[in-house]
Amino acid sequence: MNTIDMTDAVWQRLLSIREGETVAGEAAAMALYGPIAGARGRFIIAQVGQSLDGRIATPSGDAMDVSGPDGLAHLHRCRALVDAVIVGVNTVKADNPRLSVRLVDGPSPVRVVIDCNGALDGDEGLFHDGGAPVIVVTSADAPGKGLPNAETIRLQSSGKGLATGAILDALAARGLHRVLVEGGARTIARFIEERQVDRLHVAISPLIIGAGPSGINLPPVARLADALRPPAAVYNLGSDVLFDCALSDRQGQ
Ligand SMILES: NC(=O)c1ccc[n+]([C@@H]2O[C@H](COP(=O)([O-])OP(=O)(O)OC[C@H]3O[C@@H](n4cnc5c(N)ncnc54)[C@H](OP(=O)(O)O)[C@@H]3O)[C@@H](O)[C@H]2O)c1
């Protein structure tokens, strides 16, 4: 139950917004982060930090400073507001990420790595840093390697890998409903293609990398009329500009 505190100032503000004034300051922060923080059921955000030319890393896989400081703070806010963060195995191999909340106050989410073919060897940093719990999602017939300090979830894989809905069901069964899909491109694409993403956050940093993987790779469409055109709100984060795209109308309630 939400309690309304309708002061005159709040009402005047709502009337201004009705007339087309853009929200700023606290209202903008609530509009951007409120749906994540307030979700009580399944709510899936995918976030990409990319350059002006749509790259998420250099061709050799260096992605450490694609986002500016405010883009990174945004990512950490998202992490702090969800129950679990998902990355693909290539991101763990390339970046050795901690996936923790360090730039803002707040809890670190459970860390989930999708490693369909059992490519992790257990030496990766997140298995040994004493941080939030780690879950590895793998195929039922992948090699049965024991990974240290981690739970392994085994799911049936089809020729196309693991169904992203089944991954989210397995996390929901563990009480993990609000989920951030952090990358990389292939992992985010699978979740978007299978219509599991409610909000797509694209944070653009004023940087031109020139070559390298792009943030989102979906099956090609012949005509622009068939491209995804989600309703989007645009936020000035400071160092980066954020597009908050609604890919579904689910509110996570
Ligand atoms: N700038 C950013 O926001 C950002 C964020 C994260 C990562 N990155 C960068 O992105 C690059 C890595 O991206 P990437 O696209 O190459 O790889 P990725 O998405 O990290 O990992 C892809 C791999 O994960 C496994 N996987 C993911 N979803 C799966 C599913 N539904 N079913 C089965 N397997 C699944 C597959 O492993 P198998 O091949 O073993 O089947 C797939 O090849 C790195 O350079 C990293 O630095 C950038």
Side-chain angles (χ1 to χ4, degrees), residues 189-225:
R190 289 291 303 266
F191 279 86
I192 293 177
E193 269 179 65
E194 294 173 11
R195 299 184 176 279
Q196 299 295 338
V197 177
D198 299 307
R199 292 292 178 95
L200 172 66
H201 284 186
V202 181
I204 301 176
S205 172
L207 164 80
I208 298 171
I209 302 178
S214 65
I216 302 164
N217 278 313
L218 294 172
V221 292
R223 301 174 318 136
L224 277 180

Side-chain angles (χ1 to χ4, degrees), residues 10 12 48 64 126 180 220 235:
V10 171
Q12 289 308 319
V48 180
M64 290 308 273
L126 79 177
L180 170 64
Y235 294 89

Side-chain angles (χ1 to χ4, degrees), residues 47-50 55-58 60-64 66-67 75 86-92 94-95 114-119 137 157 160-164 167 182-188 190-191 194 213-214 217:
Q47 124 89 38
V48 180
Q50 67 177 44
R55 317 283 179 183
I56 58 165
T58 65
S60 63
D62 181 8
M64 290 308 273
V66 171
S67 294
L75 176 61
I86 295 180
V87 290
V89 62
N90 292 356
T91 295
V92 173
D95 300 349
I114 306 177
D115 179 19
C116 193
N117 297 304
V137 186
S157 75
K160 287 181 65 187
L162 306 173
T164 53
I167 296 171
E182 193 172 307
R186 268 176 264 195
T187 299
I188 288 179
R190 289 291 303 266
F191 279 86
E194 294 173 11
S214 65
N217 278 313

